[in-house]
Structure formats: C-alpha cells, structure tokens
Amino acid sequence: MMMGKKLLDLSNMEEEEKKKKKKKKRSMKKILLLLNSVLLAMGTSGGPLVMRLYFIHGGNRIWLSSFLETAAFPLILIPLTFSHLHRTSHHSPKPKLVSIKLPLFLASAVIGILTGLDDYLYACGIARLPVSTSSLIQASHLAFTAVFAFLLVKHRFTAYSVNAVVLLTVAAVVLALRSGGDRPSGESTRQYVIGFVMILAAAALYGFVLPLMELVYKRSKQRVTYSLVMEIQFVMCFFATLFCTIGMLINNDFKVIWREAKDYKLGETKYYVVVVGSAIMWQFFFLGAIGVIFCSSSLFSGIIIAAFLPVTEVLGVIVYKENFEAEKGVALLLSLWGFVSYFYGEIKQEREKNKKGCPERELPQSLPPNS
Ligand SMILES: Nc1ncnc2[nH]cnc12
C-alpha cells in the first residue's frame, strides 16, 4: 500500500516536472518570438530607409547594396558564441561547436543563393523607386508568402487571414494603377518600370523563400533549436554574400567604392556609416525573419513585414520628403485594415480554442515541428 502511494507520488512529481519544463519552454518561445519580431520590425523599416539614403546621396552600386543585405553575417557569431558557452556549462557531454549537419547545410546554402539573387532584385528596385512606393509594392510579398505557404507547408488559413492577404494585395494593386507621379527627378519612365518589376520579382522570390525555410525546418532530421537557427542564418547569409561578391567583382564595384565614398554628398565618413548601418539593419531583418518562422510560421513573418510597411511609408515621407498622395493614403488604409483583420482573426481563434478547453496554442498559426 505504502509502496503504491510512493510510486504514485513519484509519478505525480515527474508529471509536475514535465509540466514545469513545458511551461518554461513555452515562455522561452514567447520571448524569442517577441525578440525576433522586434528585430524583424526594425530591419523592415530601417533597412530600406538606410539603403535609400545610400542611393539618394550619390551611391549607385547595385551589387554593393545587395551585398550589404547579408554581409554583416559574422555578427551572428556573437549570439552563437554565447549560446555555445551557455550550453557547454549546462550540458554534459559537451555539445559540438558546430551542430549543423550536411543536408541542412546544403539546404541553407541553396536558400542563401536564392536570397542573394533576391537581394539583387530588391536593390535594383529600391535604387529606382521612392521608399514609400517600393514599400507598398512590397505588401504584395505577403500574398506570395501566403500562396507558397499553402503550397509548400499546407498552412491552414482562416477567413480573417485570407481577408488580410486580399486587402494587402489590393493595396499594392491600387498603387500599381497610379502613374509614376512620384518618380524621382531625372528618372525615365523606363527606369521606373524596371524598378517596379524588379521589386515585385523580389517580393515574389522572398515570398517563396520564407515558406521554403519553414519546409526545411519541418523536414529536418535534426532537432531544430534556436542555436541551430542561427547557424542556418550564418550559412545562408554566407552564400548570399558570396553570390553578391561575385556580382561585385564582375561589375568592378570593389575598385570604385573608394571613389564613390570620396564623392558622397554627405561626406566620406558618413558614407561608411551608411554602408555599415545598412548591413546591420539588414542582418536584423534576416535573423528576425527566420527566427519568427522558427517560433511561429512563415505567414506570420510575412504579416510582420507587411505590418511595418506603413511605418516605412510614413518615415519615407517624413525623412526624405517624398510625396504622399491620395493613392498612397488609400493603399495605406487598406493595408492597415488587412493587418487588423489578421490579428482579430488570430485573437478570435485563440479565444475559441480556450473556450473549448484546449489552451495549448499560444503562438499565432502553427508551432514549429520540433517544439
Ligand atoms: N532582399 C530583400 N530585402 C528586404 N526585403 C525584401 N523583400 C523581398 N526581398 C527583400
């Protein structure tokens, strides 16, 4: 009898311990989601603004700007080192210094090359369009992400998320229908149209890359931890940077950087500040994006990117004195309506689940496969 009670107590204690661990893991994931969302939001707004600052004051190397999108990848070594030291002191046997295995390494390399190509398309667009216009066209990125998330990872949609995607796409179309009235001075219609097509192509390609990343996490034979996510980011950015370095070499960008810095309208020192600032902002963007996919889903990453476009819009108008006409206003309202619809749907779904007595889901849409 006593023995039975002891066993029962033991299994209760084990059960409690498991629950505590699960709770801690969930809180950790919430913190990570918040942190990565903040990084992504900062990169989404700051990246295009700093990149445009490079172009409007005399910078004109497209390959250099695409290179800057991922070139700050060595920064990832800082959190990776902390993470490794933490794991070394808390685990035995000691974890390996590098945990990424060959299949995941190859997948990250391929995604990295696609990202490099995407960076080039994006830089071409940003060079030719005002920030406020390019940001709204980028809203179509969400529609592409949604379609590919459905096709690649079978993402489950609700009426609200579909509504959000439709509204954001309509917002981009409203903008597309207007003439090039805010074309930067001295730019031909042809250049403007090229910029438009390039940025749309970048939106489509990146809309494919995000769910592809989610698919890689899902199919991975390795357990995906946040530390592994950072290793993936490192490999991806390395290959994207390599791709753009080859573009820079072919285009002689390395030879003209010094001259471009000397002629920069804001001065040589500010040129380098802009270049380094741009690289850091974009690193936030990419780490935030793949971190949010890890904690939640590629669609949520797309939603955050789209949600912060109006901020970029407004900042573009304030900082660079770009025009803000009726069409942009309408597009902005449609975008806001789209975001509100998405979050309303998420909250409603959450409440319904809680009412039904399954309070498990604490993150939007899907949890990562390895959680
Ligand atoms: N390379 C890129 N950088 C930032 N935002 C993007 N959206 C689509 N492609 C992008």
PDB file of all heavy atoms in Angstrom, residues 160-196:
ATOM      1  N   TYR A 160     -10.208  35.238 -41.810  1.00  0.00           N
ATOM      2  CA  TYR A 160      -9.550  36.507 -41.497  1.00  0.00           C
ATOM      3  C   TYR A 160      -8.174  36.622 -42.163  1.00  0.00           C
ATOM      4  O   TYR A 160      -7.808  37.680 -42.660  1.00  0.00           O
ATOM      5  CB  TYR A 160      -9.405  36.669 -39.975  1.00  0.00           C
ATOM      6  CG  TYR A 160     -10.743  36.810 -39.305  1.00  0.00           C
ATOM      7  CD1 TYR A 160     -11.342  35.716 -38.704  1.00  0.00           C
ATOM      8  CD2 TYR A 160     -11.416  38.023 -39.313  1.00  0.00           C
ATOM      9  CE1 TYR A 160     -12.586  35.827 -38.098  1.00  0.00           C
ATOM     10  CE2 TYR A 160     -12.657  38.146 -38.713  1.00  0.00           C
ATOM     11  CZ  TYR A 160     -13.239  37.046 -38.106  1.00  0.00           C
ATOM     12  OH  TYR A 160     -14.457  37.177 -37.531  1.00  0.00           O
ATOM     13  N   SER A 161      -7.430  35.525 -42.136  1.00  0.00           N
ATOM     14  CA  SER A 161      -6.095  35.634 -42.755  1.00  0.00           C
ATOM     15  C   SER A 161      -6.226  35.775 -44.268  1.00  0.00           C
ATOM     16  O   SER A 161      -5.457  36.513 -44.891  1.00  0.00           O
ATOM     17  CB  SER A 161      -5.183  34.475 -42.349  1.00  0.00           C
ATOM     18  OG  SER A 161      -5.760  33.237 -42.596  1.00  0.00           O
ATOM     19  N   VAL A 162      -7.248  35.108 -44.861  1.00  0.00           N
ATOM     20  CA  VAL A 162      -7.463  35.267 -46.308  1.00  0.00           C
ATOM     21  C   VAL A 162      -7.845  36.714 -46.596  1.00  0.00           C
ATOM     22  O   VAL A 162      -7.317  37.353 -47.519  1.00  0.00           O
ATOM     23  CB  VAL A 162      -8.563  34.292 -46.813  1.00  0.00           C
ATOM     24  CG1 VAL A 162      -8.950  34.608 -48.253  1.00  0.00           C
ATOM     25  CG2 VAL A 162      -8.075  32.857 -46.701  1.00  0.00           C
ATOM     26  N   ASN A 163      -8.748  37.258 -45.765  1.00  0.00           N
ATOM     27  CA  ASN A 163      -9.170  38.654 -45.921  1.00  0.00           C
ATOM     28  C   ASN A 163      -7.962  39.600 -45.851  1.00  0.00           C
ATOM     29  O   ASN A 163      -7.817  40.509 -46.679  1.00  0.00           O
ATOM     30  CB  ASN A 163     -10.184  38.982 -44.811  1.00  0.00           C
ATOM     31  CG  ASN A 163     -10.812  40.333 -44.996  1.00  0.00           C
ATOM     32  OD1 ASN A 163     -11.096  40.740 -46.121  1.00  0.00           O
ATOM     33  ND2 ASN A 163     -11.029  41.062 -43.914  1.00  0.00           N
ATOM     34  N   ALA A 164      -7.080  39.323 -44.898  1.00  0.00           N
ATOM     35  CA  ALA A 164      -5.890  40.175 -44.730  1.00  0.00           C
ATOM     36  C   ALA A 164      -5.017  40.138 -45.980  1.00  0.00           C
ATOM     37  O   ALA A 164      -4.580  41.170 -46.494  1.00  0.00           O
ATOM     38  CB  ALA A 164      -5.087  39.707 -43.517  1.00  0.00           C
ATOM     39  N   VAL A 165      -4.810  38.929 -46.489  1.00  0.00           N
ATOM     40  CA  VAL A 165      -3.946  38.779 -47.663  1.00  0.00           C
ATOM     41  C   VAL A 165      -4.569  39.503 -48.871  1.00  0.00           C
ATOM     42  O   VAL A 165      -3.889  40.215 -49.611  1.00  0.00           O
ATOM     43  CB  VAL A 165      -3.715  37.276 -47.955  1.00  0.00           C
ATOM     44  CG1 VAL A 165      -3.018  37.083 -49.284  1.00  0.00           C
ATOM     45  CG2 VAL A 165      -2.887  36.643 -46.836  1.00  0.00           C
ATOM     46  N   VAL A 166      -5.909  39.352 -49.026  1.00  0.00           N
ATOM     47  CA  VAL A 166      -6.588  40.000 -50.166  1.00  0.00           C
ATOM     48  C   VAL A 166      -6.468  41.526 -50.052  1.00  0.00           C
ATOM     49  O   VAL A 166      -6.108  42.208 -51.014  1.00  0.00           O
ATOM     50  CB  VAL A 166      -8.069  39.558 -50.233  1.00  0.00           C
ATOM     51  CG1 VAL A 166      -8.842  40.395 -51.261  1.00  0.00           C
ATOM     52  CG2 VAL A 166      -8.157  38.083 -50.585  1.00  0.00           C
ATOM     53  N   LEU A 167      -6.734  42.049 -48.861  1.00  0.00           N
ATOM     54  CA  LEU A 167      -6.690  43.515 -48.684  1.00  0.00           C
ATOM     55  C   LEU A 167      -5.295  44.069 -48.975  1.00  0.00           C
ATOM     56  O   LEU A 167      -5.143  45.091 -49.648  1.00  0.00           O
ATOM     57  CB  LEU A 167      -7.091  43.879 -47.255  1.00  0.00           C
ATOM     58  CG  LEU A 167      -8.584  43.787 -46.954  1.00  0.00           C
ATOM     59  CD1 LEU A 167      -8.830  43.938 -45.460  1.00  0.00           C
ATOM     60  CD2 LEU A 167      -9.357  44.853 -47.715  1.00  0.00           C
ATOM     61  N   LEU A 168      -4.292  43.360 -48.487  1.00  0.00           N
ATOM     62  CA  LEU A 168      -2.918  43.845 -48.700  1.00  0.00           C
ATOM     63  C   LEU A 168      -2.537  43.789 -50.177  1.00  0.00           C
ATOM     64  O   LEU A 168      -1.807  44.643 -50.680  1.00  0.00           O
ATOM     65  CB  LEU A 168      -1.947  43.010 -47.866  1.00  0.00           C
ATOM     66  CG  LEU A 168      -1.996  43.367 -46.393  1.00  0.00           C
ATOM     67  CD1 LEU A 168      -1.453  42.252 -45.531  1.00  0.00           C
ATOM     68  CD2 LEU A 168      -1.210  44.640 -46.144  1.00  0.00           C
ATOM     69  N   THR A 169      -3.065  42.780 -50.873  1.00  0.00           N
ATOM     70  CA  THR A 169      -2.758  42.682 -52.297  1.00  0.00           C
ATOM     71  C   THR A 169      -3.466  43.790 -53.063  1.00  0.00           C
ATOM     72  O   THR A 169      -2.876  44.417 -53.957  1.00  0.00           O
ATOM     73  CB  THR A 169      -3.185  41.295 -52.825  1.00  0.00           C
ATOM     74  OG1 THR A 169      -2.687  40.326 -51.910  1.00  0.00           O
ATOM     75  CG2 THR A 169      -2.633  41.024 -54.197  1.00  0.00           C
ATOM     76  N   VAL A 170      -4.731  44.055 -52.691  1.00  0.00           N
ATOM     77  CA  VAL A 170      -5.470  45.140 -53.351  1.00  0.00           C
ATOM     78  C   VAL A 170      -4.732  46.463 -53.127  1.00  0.00           C
ATOM     79  O   VAL A 170      -4.615  47.294 -54.034  1.00  0.00           O
ATOM     80  CB  VAL A 170      -6.925  45.221 -52.825  1.00  0.00           C
ATOM     81  CG1 VAL A 170      -7.651  46.449 -53.374  1.00  0.00           C
ATOM     82  CG2 VAL A 170      -7.691  43.965 -53.210  1.00  0.00           C
ATOM     83  N   ALA A 171      -4.188  46.634 -51.930  1.00  0.00           N
ATOM     84  CA  ALA A 171      -3.445  47.865 -51.623  1.00  0.00           C
ATOM     85  C   ALA A 171      -2.288  48.036 -52.597  1.00  0.00           C
ATOM     86  O   ALA A 171      -2.035  49.135 -53.110  1.00  0.00           O
ATOM     87  CB  ALA A 171      -2.923  47.810 -50.184  1.00  0.00           C
ATOM     88  N   ALA A 172      -1.596  46.940 -52.877  1.00  0.00           N
ATOM     89  CA  ALA A 172      -0.454  47.014 -53.803  1.00  0.00           C
ATOM     90  C   ALA A 172      -0.937  47.334 -55.213  1.00  0.00           C
ATOM     91  O   ALA A 172      -0.309  48.089 -55.947  1.00  0.00           O
ATOM     92  CB  ALA A 172       0.303  45.694 -53.780  1.00  0.00           C
ATOM     93  N   VAL A 173      -2.121  46.752 -55.588  1.00  0.00           N
ATOM     94  CA  VAL A 173      -2.654  46.992 -56.940  1.00  0.00           C
ATOM     95  C   VAL A 173      -3.069  48.456 -57.091  1.00  0.00           C
ATOM     96  O   VAL A 173      -2.806  49.081 -58.126  1.00  0.00           O
ATOM     97  CB  VAL A 173      -3.834  46.030 -57.238  1.00  0.00           C
ATOM     98  CG1 VAL A 173      -4.503  46.380 -58.566  1.00  0.00           C
ATOM     99  CG2 VAL A 173      -3.341  44.597 -57.257  1.00  0.00           C
ATOM    100  N   VAL A 174      -3.687  49.017 -56.057  1.00  0.00           N
ATOM    101  CA  VAL A 174      -4.100  50.431 -56.099  1.00  0.00           C
ATOM    102  C   VAL A 174      -2.883  51.296 -56.422  1.00  0.00           C
ATOM    103  O   VAL A 174      -2.923  52.202 -57.257  1.00  0.00           O
ATOM    104  CB  VAL A 174      -4.710  50.872 -54.743  1.00  0.00           C
ATOM    105  CG1 VAL A 174      -4.828  52.390 -54.645  1.00  0.00           C
ATOM    106  CG2 VAL A 174      -6.068  50.234 -54.546  1.00  0.00           C
ATOM    107  N   LEU A 175      -1.791  50.951 -55.803  1.00  0.00           N
ATOM    108  CA  LEU A 175      -0.568  51.719 -56.018  1.00  0.00           C
ATOM    109  C   LEU A 175      -0.027  51.500 -57.426  1.00  0.00           C
ATOM    110  O   LEU A 175       0.452  52.425 -58.081  1.00  0.00           O
ATOM    111  CB  LEU A 175       0.472  51.288 -54.995  1.00  0.00           C
ATOM    112  CG  LEU A 175       1.625  52.238 -54.941  1.00  0.00           C
ATOM    113  CD1 LEU A 175       1.257  53.425 -54.075  1.00  0.00           C
ATOM    114  CD2 LEU A 175       2.832  51.539 -54.409  1.00  0.00           C
ATOM    115  N   ALA A 176      -0.152  50.245 -57.886  1.00  0.00           N
ATOM    116  CA  ALA A 176       0.381  49.920 -59.207  1.00  0.00           C
ATOM    117  C   ALA A 176      -0.373  50.664 -60.308  1.00  0.00           C
ATOM    118  O   ALA A 176       0.188  50.989 -61.343  1.00  0.00           O
ATOM    119  CB  ALA A 176       0.293  48.416 -59.431  1.00  0.00           C
ATOM    120  N   LEU A 177      -1.675  50.944 -60.068  1.00  0.00           N
ATOM    121  CA  LEU A 177      -2.502  51.570 -61.100  1.00  0.00           C
ATOM    122  C   LEU A 177      -2.184  53.051 -61.303  1.00  0.00           C
ATOM    123  O   LEU A 177      -2.500  53.629 -62.325  1.00  0.00           O
ATOM    124  CB  LEU A 177      -3.997  51.414 -60.759  1.00  0.00           C
ATOM    125  CG  LEU A 177      -4.537  49.982 -60.886  1.00  0.00           C
ATOM    126  CD1 LEU A 177      -5.997  49.935 -60.488  1.00  0.00           C
ATOM    127  CD2 LEU A 177      -4.363  49.470 -62.311  1.00  0.00           C
ATOM    128  N   ARG A 178      -1.567  53.661 -60.298  1.00  0.00           N
ATOM    129  CA  ARG A 178      -1.312  55.087 -60.432  1.00  0.00           C
ATOM    130  C   ARG A 178      -0.115  55.332 -61.372  1.00  0.00           C
ATOM    131  O   ARG A 178       0.710  54.477 -61.576  1.00  0.00           O
ATOM    132  CB  ARG A 178      -1.017  55.706 -59.060  1.00  0.00           C
ATOM    133  CG  ARG A 178       0.202  55.126 -58.409  1.00  0.00           C
ATOM    134  CD  ARG A 178       0.269  55.588 -56.993  1.00  0.00           C
ATOM    135  NE  ARG A 178       0.587  56.999 -56.957  1.00  0.00           N
ATOM    136  CZ  ARG A 178       1.811  57.467 -57.051  1.00  0.00           C
ATOM    137  NH1 ARG A 178       2.802  56.641 -57.196  1.00  0.00           N
ATOM    138  NH2 ARG A 178       2.030  58.746 -56.997  1.00  0.00           N
ATOM    139  N   SER A 179      -0.095  56.526 -61.944  1.00  0.00           N
ATOM    140  CA  SER A 179       1.031  56.811 -62.845  1.00  0.00           C
ATOM    141  C   SER A 179       2.276  57.086 -61.989  1.00  0.00           C
ATOM    142  O   SER A 179       2.200  57.238 -60.780  1.00  0.00           O
ATOM    143  CB  SER A 179       0.718  58.042 -63.681  1.00  0.00           C
ATOM    144  OG  SER A 179       0.605  59.150 -62.825  1.00  0.00           O
ATOM    145  N   GLY A 180       3.426  57.227 -62.619  1.00  0.00           N
ATOM    146  CA  GLY A 180       4.656  57.445 -61.852  1.00  0.00           C
ATOM    147  C   GLY A 180       4.815  58.887 -61.413  1.00  0.00           C
ATOM    148  O   GLY A 180       5.837  59.509 -61.664  1.00  0.00           O
ATOM    149  N   GLY A 181       3.803  59.436 -60.764  1.00  0.00           N
ATOM    150  CA  GLY A 181       3.831  60.846 -60.377  1.00  0.00           C
ATOM    151  C   GLY A 181       4.916  61.188 -59.363  1.00  0.00           C
ATOM    152  O   GLY A 181       5.366  62.318 -59.289  1.00  0.00           O
ATOM    153  N   ASP A 182       5.320  60.170 -58.571  1.00  0.00           N
ATOM    154  CA  ASP A 182       6.352  60.475 -57.578  1.00  0.00           C
ATOM    155  C   ASP A 182       7.704  59.922 -58.013  1.00  0.00           C
ATOM    156  O   ASP A 182       8.559  59.640 -57.200  1.00  0.00           O
ATOM    157  CB  ASP A 182       5.959  59.906 -56.211  1.00  0.00           C
ATOM    158  CG  ASP A 182       5.858  58.394 -56.238  1.00  0.00           C
ATOM    159  OD1 ASP A 182       5.843  57.833 -57.350  1.00  0.00           O
ATOM    160  OD2 ASP A 182       5.791  57.792 -55.162  1.00  0.00           O
ATOM    161  N   ARG A 183       7.843  59.783 -59.331  1.00  0.00           N
ATOM    162  CA  ARG A 183       9.097  59.292 -59.850  1.00  0.00           C
ATOM    163  C   ARG A 183      10.224  60.244 -59.423  1.00  0.00           C
ATOM    164  O   ARG A 183      10.076  61.459 -59.563  1.00  0.00           O
ATOM    165  CB  ARG A 183       9.001  59.274 -61.379  1.00  0.00           C
ATOM    166  CG  ARG A 183      10.023  58.402 -62.042  1.00  0.00           C
ATOM    167  CD  ARG A 183       9.931  58.556 -63.541  1.00  0.00           C
ATOM    168  NE  ARG A 183       8.571  58.402 -64.031  1.00  0.00           N
ATOM    169  CZ  ARG A 183       8.121  58.971 -65.142  1.00  0.00           C
ATOM    170  NH1 ARG A 183       8.903  59.743 -65.855  1.00  0.00           N
ATOM    171  NH2 ARG A 183       6.883  58.771 -65.533  1.00  0.00           N
ATOM    172  N   PRO A 184      11.341  59.719 -58.916  1.00  0.00           N
ATOM    173  CA  PRO A 184      12.417  60.625 -58.529  1.00  0.00           C
ATOM    174  C   PRO A 184      12.864  61.453 -59.730  1.00  0.00           C
ATOM    175  O   PRO A 184      12.888  60.952 -60.851  1.00  0.00           O
ATOM    176  CB  PRO A 184      13.529  59.657 -58.079  1.00  0.00           C
ATOM    177  CG  PRO A 184      12.835  58.398 -57.729  1.00  0.00           C
ATOM    178  CD  PRO A 184      11.632  58.315 -58.606  1.00  0.00           C
ATOM    179  N   SER A 185      13.229  62.720 -59.475  1.00  0.00           N
ATOM    180  CA  SER A 185      13.545  63.611 -60.588  1.00  0.00           C
ATOM    181  C   SER A 185      14.722  63.059 -61.403  1.00  0.00           C
ATOM    182  O   SER A 185      15.678  62.497 -60.850  1.00  0.00           O
ATOM    183  CB  SER A 185      13.879  65.006 -60.062  1.00  0.00           C
ATOM    184  OG  SER A 185      14.925  64.907 -59.146  1.00  0.00           O
ATOM    185  N   GLY A 186      14.611  63.198 -62.699  1.00  0.00           N
ATOM    186  CA  GLY A 186      15.678  62.747 -63.587  1.00  0.00           C
ATOM    187  C   GLY A 186      15.571  61.282 -63.952  1.00  0.00           C
ATOM    188  O   GLY A 186      16.432  60.760 -64.656  1.00  0.00           O
ATOM    189  N   GLU A 187      14.538  60.604 -63.464  1.00  0.00           N
ATOM    190  CA  GLU A 187      14.433  59.180 -63.765  1.00  0.00           C
ATOM    191  C   GLU A 187      13.409  58.953 -64.887  1.00  0.00           C
ATOM    192  O   GLU A 187      12.299  59.481 -64.835  1.00  0.00           O
ATOM    193  CB  GLU A 187      13.998  58.420 -62.506  1.00  0.00           C
ATOM    194  CG  GLU A 187      14.104  56.927 -62.680  1.00  0.00           C
ATOM    195  CD  GLU A 187      14.058  56.205 -61.339  1.00  0.00           C
ATOM    196  OE1 GLU A 187      15.059  56.262 -60.619  1.00  0.00           O
ATOM    197  OE2 GLU A 187      13.010  55.637 -61.030  1.00  0.00           O
ATOM    198  N   SER A 188      13.764  58.150 -65.894  1.00  0.00           N
ATOM    199  CA  SER A 188      12.862  57.929 -67.033  1.00  0.00           C
ATOM    200  C   SER A 188      11.764  56.942 -66.649  1.00  0.00           C
ATOM    201  O   SER A 188      11.893  56.194 -65.669  1.00  0.00           O
ATOM    202  CB  SER A 188      13.657  57.378 -68.207  1.00  0.00           C
ATOM    203  OG  SER A 188      14.121  56.089 -67.865  1.00  0.00           O
ATOM    204  N   THR A 189      10.680  56.955 -67.481  1.00  0.00           N
ATOM    205  CA  THR A 189       9.576  56.014 -67.229  1.00  0.00           C
ATOM    206  C   THR A 189      10.111  54.584 -67.292  1.00  0.00           C
ATOM    207  O   THR A 189       9.713  53.718 -66.508  1.00  0.00           O
ATOM    208  CB  THR A 189       8.475  56.201 -68.293  1.00  0.00           C
ATOM    209  OG1 THR A 189       8.142  57.573 -68.335  1.00  0.00           O
ATOM    210  CG2 THR A 189       7.254  55.358 -68.013  1.00  0.00           C
ATOM    211  N   ARG A 190      11.027  54.347 -68.227  1.00  0.00           N
ATOM    212  CA  ARG A 190      11.573  53.002 -68.402  1.00  0.00           C
ATOM    213  C   ARG A 190      12.256  52.525 -67.108  1.00  0.00           C
ATOM    214  O   ARG A 190      12.014  51.409 -66.636  1.00  0.00           O
ATOM    215  CB  ARG A 190      12.576  53.017 -69.564  1.00  0.00           C
ATOM    216  CG  ARG A 190      13.002  51.652 -69.986  1.00  0.00           C
ATOM    217  CD  ARG A 190      13.771  51.647 -71.288  1.00  0.00           C
ATOM    218  NE  ARG A 190      14.420  50.366 -71.438  1.00  0.00           N
ATOM    219  CZ  ARG A 190      15.632  50.075 -70.951  1.00  0.00           C
ATOM    220  NH1 ARG A 190      16.305  51.007 -70.311  1.00  0.00           N
ATOM    221  NH2 ARG A 190      16.160  48.876 -71.104  1.00  0.00           N
ATOM    222  N   GLN A 191      13.077  53.404 -66.525  1.00  0.00           N
ATOM    223  CA  GLN A 191      13.781  53.072 -65.288  1.00  0.00           C
ATOM    224  C   GLN A 191      12.785  52.801 -64.162  1.00  0.00           C
ATOM    225  O   GLN A 191      12.965  51.892 -63.360  1.00  0.00           O
ATOM    226  CB  GLN A 191      14.695  54.231 -64.857  1.00  0.00           C
ATOM    227  CG  GLN A 191      15.927  54.402 -65.715  1.00  0.00           C
ATOM    228  CD  GLN A 191      16.848  53.201 -65.603  1.00  0.00           C
ATOM    229  OE1 GLN A 191      17.098  52.708 -64.520  1.00  0.00           O
ATOM    230  NE2 GLN A 191      17.320  52.703 -66.738  1.00  0.00           N
ATOM    231  N   TYR A 192      11.733  53.637 -64.131  1.00  0.00           N
ATOM    232  CA  TYR A 192      10.716  53.495 -63.092  1.00  0.00           C
ATOM    233  C   TYR A 192      10.025  52.131 -63.215  1.00  0.00           C
ATOM    234  O   TYR A 192       9.841  51.408 -62.231  1.00  0.00           O
ATOM    235  CB  TYR A 192       9.698  54.632 -63.230  1.00  0.00           C
ATOM    236  CG  TYR A 192       8.736  54.749 -62.066  1.00  0.00           C
ATOM    237  CD1 TYR A 192       9.088  55.428 -60.902  1.00  0.00           C
ATOM    238  CD2 TYR A 192       7.464  54.186 -62.139  1.00  0.00           C
ATOM    239  CE1 TYR A 192       8.210  55.551 -59.843  1.00  0.00           C
ATOM    240  CE2 TYR A 192       6.577  54.298 -61.081  1.00  0.00           C
ATOM    241  CZ  TYR A 192       6.951  54.990 -59.938  1.00  0.00           C
ATOM    242  OH  TYR A 192       6.073  55.103 -58.894  1.00  0.00           O
ATOM    243  N   VAL A 193       9.682  51.767 -64.487  1.00  0.00           N
ATOM    244  CA  VAL A 193       9.001  50.484 -64.720  1.00  0.00           C
ATOM    245  C   VAL A 193       9.939  49.325 -64.370  1.00  0.00           C
ATOM    246  O   VAL A 193       9.522  48.346 -63.731  1.00  0.00           O
ATOM    247  CB  VAL A 193       8.504  50.387 -66.190  1.00  0.00           C
ATOM    248  CG1 VAL A 193       8.002  48.984 -66.512  1.00  0.00           C
ATOM    249  CG2 VAL A 193       7.405  51.411 -66.433  1.00  0.00           C
ATOM    250  N   ILE A 194      11.212  49.458 -64.733  1.00  0.00           N
ATOM    251  CA  ILE A 194      12.173  48.385 -64.388  1.00  0.00           C
ATOM    252  C   ILE A 194      12.220  48.217 -62.862  1.00  0.00           C
ATOM    253  O   ILE A 194      12.156  47.108 -62.333  1.00  0.00           O
ATOM    254  CB  ILE A 194      13.591  48.693 -64.937  1.00  0.00           C
ATOM    255  CG1 ILE A 194      13.587  48.614 -66.454  1.00  0.00           C
ATOM    256  CG2 ILE A 194      14.627  47.722 -64.364  1.00  0.00           C
ATOM    257  CD1 ILE A 194      14.914  48.989 -67.109  1.00  0.00           C
ATOM    258  N   GLY A 195      12.292  49.341 -62.161  1.00  0.00           N
ATOM    259  CA  GLY A 195      12.330  49.305 -60.699  1.00  0.00           C
ATOM    260  C   GLY A 195      11.106  48.592 -60.137  1.00  0.00           C
ATOM    261  O   GLY A 195      11.196  47.744 -59.236  1.00  0.00           O
ATOM    262  N   PHE A 196       9.966  48.924 -60.734  1.00  0.00           N
ATOM    263  CA  PHE A 196       8.691  48.343 -60.300  1.00  0.00           C
ATOM    264  C   PHE A 196       8.691  46.812 -60.483  1.00  0.00           C
ATOM    265  O   PHE A 196       8.349  46.062 -59.571  1.00  0.00           O
ATOM    266  CB  PHE A 196       7.587  48.982 -61.161  1.00  0.00           C
ATOM    267  CG  PHE A 196       6.231  48.879 -60.567  1.00  0.00           C
ATOM    268  CD1 PHE A 196       5.754  49.894 -59.755  1.00  0.00           C
ATOM    269  CD2 PHE A 196       5.437  47.774 -60.806  1.00  0.00           C
ATOM    270  CE1 PHE A 196       4.495  49.808 -59.200  1.00  0.00           C
ATOM    271  CE2 PHE A 196       4.174  47.686 -60.248  1.00  0.00           C
ATOM    272  CZ  PHE A 196       3.704  48.702 -59.449  1.00  0.00           C
TER     273      PHE A 196
END
